[in-house]
Amino acid sequence: MARLVEALNRFFGRVEILAVGLENERSAAEAALAKGMPLEAREHARTILSILPDSAVGLALWADAAEDAWLDQEVVTALADLAKRVPWRADVWLRLGRAGQRVGWDGARNALERATAAPEERDAARLALLDLCDLDLAAGDPARAQRWLDRIPAPLSTAPDRDAALRRAECALAHGDLDGARAAAEILGEPTAIEGRAALVLARLTLAEAGAAPGASMAALPPAEVTRALDLGLRALVLDVPGAAELCASLVAASRDVLVVDRVCRVVRAAGALDEPTWAAAFAFAEGRRDDARRALARGLSAGDRAAAAALLRMAVETRDLGALDALAARAAGADTRGATAPPLPPDLVRLRDAAAMASAGQGSQALDALDAVTGEGAAWADDMRRAIARAWIPAAEGGAGSRAATAAWSDVLRELARTAKLLDRLDLLAATETLAVERERPLRAAVVGEFNAGKSTFLNALLGEDVAPTGVLPTTATLHWVAWAPDPFARIVVRGGQDRVVPHAALKDTLRALGASGAKVARVFIYAPIERLKRVEILDTPGFNAPDPDHIAEARRAFDEAHVAIWLLDAPQAMKESERRVLSEISALGVPVQILANKADRLKPDALETVLAHVRDSLAASAITSLTPPIAFSARLSLKGRLGDEAALAASGWAEVEALFAEQIVDASDALRERALRRKAGRIAAELAQAASARAAEDREAGRRARAEAERLRASAAYLRRERRAIAAAIDKALEPARRELAADLRPIAALPEERKRTDAGVRAYVQERLVTRLSWPLSAEIARAAHAGVEAAARPARGADGGAEEAGAAPSPRAAAHVRAVLMGMVAVHDAPDELAARSIEGVVEAAIDAFAMALSAEAEAPVPPLASAAVELRAQALRAAFEAPEAREAPTDA
């Protein structure tokens, strides 16, 4: 930057210096500055000021000399006095602000803001805006930093403003706006060897693009991206860029690559910083010495090293170390024996600690609620914790259907599913969840399935020891027959669109035939009987899969959704047809446990029966279908006769083996089978909810992106209007000529009135005001909007490569902005002595005021708060629960064939 004395010599001249004979002192001071002797120049400047205390040239010489001598306190004193003499000089305010920052002067920011208010000195104003942006970035306020950048005028040359682009990239990264950061980084290009700050920005962008959201684990990043980020970060570290050490230390702490750690270690050793707590902890983390890392950072904390606290916090997030967070929280609560304290934990990490405590206490739902509010640097850690909570709710299933089930925390799981379904307005899935809650308290549900004439109803009657299933009726009735316990025997027939029929067992067959003949559609048949076995197992008797009516097949498939286990009956003389293999594969794919039984064994000789069973086993193996136990052959017909009292038939039926299987693999394993079914059904609900939540969140994110883009457009429009207010006002004033002619025509009726009446008659003034606002407010608002739109489009066009004109549709003024313009016009009429004369004169000054008001309205619209997206938290919770159900260890273990 040029010396102040050179600029002020041209402005003030040397008359006062010559008048008192101090020209030799001035010349000597400038010569000393030129020779690099600032202390000698300082003495000459002080001599001038001792005689002329208010000399602008003397103050400028003192400021230049003190700055060269690094006497910043004197620089502030000299420039503060000089600014009073030349308050219009942006370069003076800029240098005062910068010197003030170096000495911690409270007025430094105000001085920089004064420098920005001098549009004629574009270079100094631009530098002041960049400095203000840096101050707000350092203070953690990227939103305000962005506002300073918006005020920087477009460069007069075609070369892009790389300094502004660098800071725009930093603001975008702080907001998590990767698109904005990429756009700014394209302007930066590849940084040179000495552009450390740009290198750090590109390193952070590389990590962000690779998936390292704030708080995300860097250990999982692609090695190539880590290498590039490390190259850039080390360049920034060598150049001592603020933030570079923190980024490199985080990369080291998360790395398990010996070469990466060694490379950084050599750089840090060369800088003599190896023993600093932050680096000592980073290398300890990299080597798995977590306790040593904590001790190193605790040592820094005890010594009052605030950087050690920041490093411990950052590494706690990176390594998911709750113990480190607890240590920081304890130090923040009170000083240690040396009086050292740590800064308080950020609110997000306080919530995360609270959630961890709730989860440890078994309060998973409350912990998830607390994690919903974690959106900053702890977001990735919070998501890990969500998934851990969901996995704890759904523990690993134990092997074997006969083993004891690892029961999920169904109260928590169902509550979470119901909550998500309500938030997403999925009433169907809410109903399905409530059905699961009821199903938990019901007996095991076994579906008897197979093709038509496989003997399903006969098998069911044999199983229960009574003739309860309507053999000979299926498949003419395409329904599920649900057999359950009740103290009295009866059947309830549910008719679609009609009244239910309640009949005794003996009348069931005849009633079903009569309903079928009348064309009534039977939805379901519930058969109740006081059979002890039904207290533990309910039976679904299904239509045949090869029945001619498609409704029969659809009803049979519905049994898969409702059953906890399926018993597939084969017709032994024609077992394992292709149609059966196809449906069995479908059941297996759904995860429904299946037991294969070969019925009608009494129709085959022993050798033929063994051949059939071998064929069934081979077919199952070839189709990757698993049976709870190896297939068993029996005769349902003989079994039913035996159960009803024919001991010879019972002995010949093979029922004893079936009965043992049913007791051991189904009844005794009912808890495990029910658990598997509940997990299967709940997992399907969780998957649908996660898909719906992701779709909703994607819509909301797109809406948020559009809202942010619109807010940026409004801010850019407001900044452009303020920056180019005078030129725009002059152009608009000319464009309003047609509207002013119409206004003049409207005012002709009062032209002949006495001047006194025009000034004092309230009715006349009201008429003038109404006409002026009516004729000018909309054209003026539209012209301002059009100018703002054209200016923003012109600035954006080179960046996006577009060459089309501005869209007129985008130039319509908002209602708020138009109201602000109307208010300016109404105020103008109110204060003007002769408002009727306004139609005949330029109103450029009023237009400037209207532009300011319009810009103010745009800024207010841009800053309107956007409510947080609740759908983001809903999506994360839904995905965590789905992942818990889909985890291999959470799925039911296959049983041995």
Side-chain angles (χ1 to χ4, degrees), residues 653-732:
S653 68
W655 181 255
E657 192 175 357
V658 174
E659 180 67 40
L661 177 150
F662 194 83
E664 295 172 8
Q665 298 296 328
I666 295 179
V667 176
D668 292 346
S670 60
D671 289 343
L673 292 170
R674 185 188 299 105
E675 179 72 16
R676 291 175 67 174
L678 289 172
R679 289 189 182 207
R680 182 180 73 251
K681 297 174 185 181
R684 190 164 60 241
I685 295 172
E688 288 193 51
L689 286 174
Q691 184 177 6
S694 295
R696 175 78 61 85
E699 292 173 2
D700 288 349
R701 281 192 291 270
E702 176 59 22
R705 186 197 64 77
R706 290 195 299 268
R708 289 191 298 274
E710 177 62 12
E712 287 302 316
R713 187 190 69 79
L714 292 172
R715 293 188 188 102
S717 297
Y720 174 77
L721 289 175
R722 293 190 183 101
R723 191 169 61 240
E724 306 295 336
R725 179 180 64 246
R726 293 180 182 175
I728 295 172
I732 291 177

Side-chain angles (χ1 to χ4, degrees), residues 203 206-207 210 218 221-235 247-248 251 255 257 259-260 263-264:
T206 299
L207 294 174
M218 295 184 185
L221 297 181
E225 303 302 327
V226 173
T227 299
R228 171 164 170 74
L230 187 61
D231 289 343
L232 294 165
L234 286 176
R235 187 188 308 178
L247 181 137
C248 292
L251 285 172
S255 178
D257 188 328
L259 296 179
V260 168
R263 182 182 174 195
V264 179

Side-chain angles (χ1 to χ4, degrees), residues 391-415:
R391 286 194 301 270
W393 282 349
I394 308 169
E398 299 175 7
S403 61
R404 182 172 179 78
T407 306
W410 286 112
S411 295
D412 292 320
V413 171
L414 296 178
R415 185 186 307 114

